[in-house]
Amino acid sequence: MPANPDHWICQHGAMLNSIDDFADAVAGELRAQRARTNVTVAFLVTATGLSKSAVLHYLNGKRDIPIRSLARLCAAMDVTPSLIVARAEASNVNTR
């Protein structure tokens, strides 16, 4: 277990910067997926049933994303949550 509880160990033994950095990386990957799929915020609101403010907060990393909301956003953008998390992990890993 890392000395700092905010650090996570990924499958390759590298450490993620922090939980906050990881949450920001997930938000960034959601924004990137939104750009790849060319969907609007309005579409995400309709497709997920989330409020516009919630969607914007999640995409901008201003609010932690509950797993159910992450799943809804991912489904609306035709991507799996595990792929978004893997991309976020890859973009946020420090090598030792």
Side-chain angles (χ1 to χ4, degrees), residues 62-82:
K62 293 185 179 187
R63 189 182 303 161
D64 289 340
I65 305 171
I67 194 70
R68 289 182 181 177
S69 297
L70 176 62
R72 288 176 181 174
L73 288 166
C74 288
M77 293 186 283
D78 198 29
V79 67
T80 63
S82 60

Side-chain angles (χ1 to χ4, degrees), residues 8-18 21-27 29 81-95:
W8 297 359
I9 304 239
C10 75
Q11 63 191 25
H12 301 294
M15 294 179 78
L16 296 175
N17 294 330
S18 73
D21 290 343
F22 184 68
D24 290 343
V26 169
E29 289 303 321
S82 60
L83 182 56
I84 292 295
V85 169
R87 288 175 177 164
E89 181 179 79
S91 72
N92 196 41
V93 171
N94 286 331
T95 55

